[in-house]
Amino acid sequence: MTSRLRKKLEDLEEAGNNLNESFCLIGTPLPSLADTKRDQNEFVPVWKQEVRDEQGRRRFHGAFTGGYSAGYYNTVGSKEGWTPASFKSSRANRAGNSSKLQGAEDFMDEEDLADLRDSRRLENTETFKSDGFTSTADELGRRPDSIGSALTSLIQPASSSVGQKLLMKMGWRPGQGIGPRVSARKRKIQEAKLLGRRTRPDAAEMAIDEEEGKHLFAPRDSKLMVFEQKSGKEGLGYIKGQGMQGLGKGDSAAKESTNLSAGFGLGIDEADEDDIDIYHTELNRADHGARTAYDLDEHDDDVVLLGPGVVGADKSRRGIQRTAEDGRTFKRPAPMNTFRDGNVWNDGKPVLPGFAIDPNATAQDKWFDFPPIPEGWRPRPARVWHKGSKWDQTQVPVPKAAPNAPPDKRSQLSADQRGDILGEEQLNSSAKSVFDYMSAKSKERLAQATGAHQTTGVSLTVEEATEQPEGVLVPPLSPRTASAALKGFIPFADDPAKQERYKSYLASQTYNTAEPSPKLLPGRPVNEINKELSDFSKSAAMFKPMSFAMANRFTTSSASAQDVAQPKPGLHIPDPDKLDEWADKSKTQNEIKEVLTPRQEAAKAGMYGAMTRTEENWAPNKLLCKRFGVADPYPDGLPGATKEESGPSGGTFGTRPLLTAPGQDVAWQNKFINVPSNEEKANPDATSGNGPRQPKTLAEVGLADDENQGRDTLTYKKPEIDIFKAIFADDDEDGSDDDDERPTGGSRPASVIPTVPPPSKLQQLLPGVTTAEASPAVSVNEASSDATSATYRPVFARPSSKRDVDEMEADTAASGGKADGAKSKRKRKRDDDRVRKSKKDKRDKKGSAKASDRDVRVEDVGADEDMWVEKEVAIPTAPLSKRKRAEDFL
Amino acid sequence: MKKPTVSYPTELKQVLSTHIGPVNVVRYNNQTSKYCLSGGADRTIRLWNPSAGKEVKVYKGHGYEVLGLDIAPDNASFASCGGDKAVLIWDVASGTITRRLQGHFGKINVVRYVGGGAGAKDGGGNVLVSGSFDSKVMLWDMRYVVVLLTGTRLAPWVDRFKGSAQARVPIQTLQEARDSITSISIPPSSADGAEIVTGCVDGVVRSYDVRMGKLVSDTIGAPVTSVVVSPTAPKDSVLVASLDSSIRLMDRTNGQMLATFKHDKFVNTAYRSQVAFGYGEEVVLAGDDQGCLWAWNIIDSKSLMEQPEKVHDKVITWVESHPLNGEELLTASADGTIKVWGKKKEE
């Protein structure tokens, strides 16, 4: 197909622009889209889409409701489109039968529906239309006038309800009341009631002639209740044209009620009913004196209690007061008292018409006096707090000393107190308080803020009153706190007498005090003394030194930056006389008292030189040295880098070496990076035949996923020629002979970190090349003292047989100092010249830790001898001083 | 008035005044010293031909004021720093920002190339030193690309190194200072030294010797605003200006003070004002807080004049002496102008 198409296309190119050629081989091709009319479903961009209604108008929904593009461009109500009607049919509820009952509304468009809505109106039915129960304004307007209604009632068709008919059958006639027949006397009473009288009809009216007395009469028809339409906005009970006072003042109400409300643009002629100030009556005006829209009177929030005889007297008193305040001769309106009891509140205001005061109103709560406090009683809240303890009992017999005693020791022992009991050393004996570090001014300010402010101004130096007056409560203080506070900062320096009292209070609170009762504020009321004492206890708690652990975390502040002037109330007016003095003072105050280091002092004195100079070692980064083109001054690391020099300039502590990492060693890395590649060349066969653990993967150790990868490149040097020599030069030693003489880790110089077989011996390690006896290639934990912090990295070591392990252990033991084993001896002899120095170093280093020398990690993998196993080898963090050479491995 | 025995450029040649607001730094370019770059509080860096008084180019890109700049030894790029806590490396010709070194936590007051100066050797400018308000000095590698190209092995770590975190972190951060670093002076590469001298507000001049691995801290006392290593004897002396209105010539070898340059009317207590050696190190030039340019004879450490005239309206922020000849002098001031001074014609 594609070939055919390609052919066609080639033909097409040949034929030129025969683009309309059909590719259809079977059947009739569809007409070309270009030929016919436009595709109905062709995509039209949103802005081109228009929807028009049947009349061809673009629908406009209003500027704020979407304009021409309401909804989703006049199409549907949702982004997704129409929600298809879900078809649901069940046995109980058949689809089509009940669910789709179509009504006339289904065929109406929006205009028709709107018409329908408009035409709907809630109306009375025909039956009730004519009667009086109409409410809306137009209905009321349509209600015929009284004459007309009378006439219509005459010609009203006799239509009667069922109830009426039934009543008629039961003997009721129109005009009669409903109910059993009554005697004439009762009927008279009914009549009287209907007329609205409250009193019983008098005897003359009740006179019944004999004939009347013989019969029973139908009861009078009860009057239909007529409710007045409320047309205004007046309050409940308000009678138009009549103020409240009208209730009390009778006829004069109408005359006085025509107060015009204050308003703009009202002539007298224009004043109509609405303008009459209905609320501002004479009474109110007299009350308030001025026109306000609401009652601004200060008594407004008085609680009015309902009920008889409660506040009458009070109110009358208030009325008098108010008169005095107003400055007018005004008497509380007398008519108040003349009202009938049922219609007047206690304060004289009339009850709203239609309401009556309940004579059985709830009585006011009765209040009783407190029982008299016994003579000599004084409050002691602690008795409640320590209920059940012996506090009270012990207090009572010894009233003087008792308040000083600490609270119940068994239950209230603090850690400090327990420490005292146990005889612990007081840690804060040499501790300093925070306040020792503060400036004196700050301290004073703090002291004032903590409560000394009431009495700081009063300086009373009289100190004769040592006996404790009655009622003085000495607040108990922990003896520990007290003694600590005594040693710490003593506030109230501006008032020596007070300071003395403070000290005396603290002294009284210590253990085994000589003066159990503190000096008190002389000649002052008890509450003042108590106040001062409680202030003292607060101050003591605040100024007591902190614990020793915290004390040395603070340093003395040299500058009192917070020292600002004590704010004084009122407007500050600088005194011109004191201005200069103040300026001088502030200048001296602001002078920062520096605490100079010796070097700074020397510099200040101009003694530059040795006294101002410090020299430290500083380790530049290796890369930095390289960039500067100089040799690294500390290739072995900074001497004494472990001890941090703490000077004013910090020493080398802060420098961050970026690329120096522990254990970075050129020799080590070269071994892994360079040698194996050469060795690959040397033994191409060996690398090809085995599994993934090929020696060539050794090359990846330094590169992939290795922390130290890349370091070597920064410090890369071409391998020494010795290595190449070692690899490529002829080896005069017999390989198979050396199998058991391979230098193991134990006999190796300490600087050789992972025991990787020397390059020249590598072929022996490679399976397939060497003989069957596997040579011991072990990875050795160097077990140096640095190894604890060493990083672990995988190296590859060959599993060794049991025999090899034994030999190796023997070797290790031999290298540790025990000379045994002929083989190891022989081997040592051979290696002696080369490694003697290193060995010596190692021995010195580990002289005491021979046991750790044996820490040779051998893993016996056993069966799979040809596999290389991954091992963890500790790399010492200390960089090596010397690069290893190839001969070290020989 | 004492007859000056030594001379320095005193005749106003040009006024470069297109900076809006204070000019914080002005620097000659290397080798030829025909051009100068200035950085100001208006966030621009301007390249000038000072002798002609022409503005050559405007470098815009800083978001905050420019506080320091230095030109790479090869004049191809320059570094600037300021309130935006980053050192920007610009390409001079195109005016684009080529690198942005971020790491400081405060505004950077000063930036210096190592190995710059008039006698810049080839291969200078490997390291950039920046000193910041955060009391740290950071050393930046400017040659990291070269590492990639010349490295013998292209290992997987190259990806990590390439243009990313490794290249963006400084080589080393010097954190010995206890306050804002105000000034850094690096002895010219011709001196064959490898040192970084920093001045700090804590009043200590610290000399980091890379070659010897030593840090020498000389306490001056007052906040140090500028350190200038002597161009001719960089191992021996350093000029230290501090906010106690005095300039000291310190012996670098033993920390002793060689001379103090001060005057009753010379007041520099508030602003950083870079001082300079005059050409040939005959005079010490410094501006004060009022805008007067002072000169002291370096031999007898006496001011050349009792009361120099006020050459700038505001504090002189930088005095830059022409490194090649004594014919030109630049003063930058907070009044927004850079003035180019030349020597009076011999009469």
Side-chain angles (χ1 to χ4, degrees), chain A residues 384-459:
Chain A
V384 184
W385 302 337
H386 301 279
K387 202 154 193 166
S389 75
K390 290 178 183 171
W391 190 85
D392 202 29
Q393 285 86 358
T394 52
Q395 284 319 94
V396 173
V398 220
K400 292 277 179 191
N404 303 340
D408 183 19
K409 276 178 192 153
R410 255 177 310 172
S411 59
Q412 304 271 323
L413 278 182
S414 69
D416 291 350
Q417 289 162 334
R418 274 197 298 274
D420 284 342
I421 293 168
L422 293 169
E424 281 178 6
E425 190 185 357
Q426 287 209 350
L427 280 178
N428 60 355
S429 54
S430 61
K432 279 177 153 185
S433 164
V434 188
F435 301 96
D436 291 336
Y437 298 108
M438 290 169 62
S439 69
K441 205 171 171 56
S442 306
K443 281 184 210 167
E444 276 314 304
R445 200 144 39 85
L446 194 61
Q448 283 174 3
T450 50
H453 49 276
Q454 288 93 349
T455 45
T456 38
V458 191
S459 166

Side-chain angles (χ1 to χ4, degrees), chain A residues 573-581:
Chain A
I573 301 165
D575 190 356
D577 300 333
K578 292 184 180 172
L579 204 58
D580 294 337
E581 181 192 336

Side-chain angles (χ1 to χ4, degrees), chain A residues 608 613 617-618 627 634 654, chain B residues 141 172 175 213-214 220 252:
Chain A
Y608 292 102
R613 166 163 285 211
N617 289 333
W618 167 70
R627 291 282 171 270
Y634 304 107
Chain B
D141 189 4
Q172 194 167 7
Q175 296 180 322
K214 291 273 183 229
I220 301 299
R252 290 195 62 205

Side-chain angles (χ1 to χ4, degrees), chain A residues 528-697:
Chain A
E528 233 173 274
I529 294 173
N530 282 341
K531 177 91 177 66
E532 194 189 55
L533 284 174
S534 71
D535 285 346
F536 283 166
S537 92
K538 276 187 224 155
S539 301
M542 185 178 291
F543 287 110
K544 76 161 182 183
M546 57 200 150
S547 71
F548 189 73
M550 251 175 95
N552 50 15
R553 297 196 177 219
F554 292 88
T555 55
T556 310
S557 79
S558 57
S560 54
Q562 290 90 13
D563 270 348
V564 288
Q566 181 81 13
K568 281 177 200 160
L571 190 65
H572 173 64
I573 301 165
D575 190 356
D577 300 333
K578 292 184 180 172
L579 204 58
D580 294 337
E581 181 192 336
W582 176 81
D584 289 345
K585 212 173 89 182
S586 66
K587 212 163 102 184
T588 53
Q589 274 178 352
N590 289 338
E591 205 169 298
I592 295 171
K593 198 185 125 210
E594 282 178 291
V595 177
L596 296 174
T597 63
R599 267 188 289 280
Q600 280 171 326
E601 272 168 4
K604 204 171 183 182
M607 294 184 287
Y608 292 102
M611 293 183 74
T612 59
R613 166 163 285 211
T614 53
E615 277 193 45
E616 312 151 25
N617 289 333
W618 167 70
N621 191 279
K622 276 189 168 54
L623 183 58
L624 187 69
C625 297
K626 190 166 180 146
R627 291 282 171 270
F628 270 87
V630 299
D632 191 349
Y634 304 107
D636 307 336
L638 196 61
T642 47
K643 79 171 169 67
E644 293 166 4
E645 298 181 25
S646 62
S649 47
T652 56
F653 173 50
T655 52
R656 276 197 221 134
L658 180 72
L659 288 178
T660 45
Q664 176 179 352
D665 181 31
V666 179
W668 187 88
Q669 281 165 354
N670 279 346
K671 216 180 298 165
F672 283 99
I673 291 160
N674 301 311
V675 175
S677 60
N678 294 325
E679 152 216 323
E680 255 179 77
K681 286 179 215 158
N683 298 310
D685 292 340
T687 55
S688 60
N690 284 300
R693 296 295 186 197
Q694 289 295 323
K696 72 168 181 185
T697 57

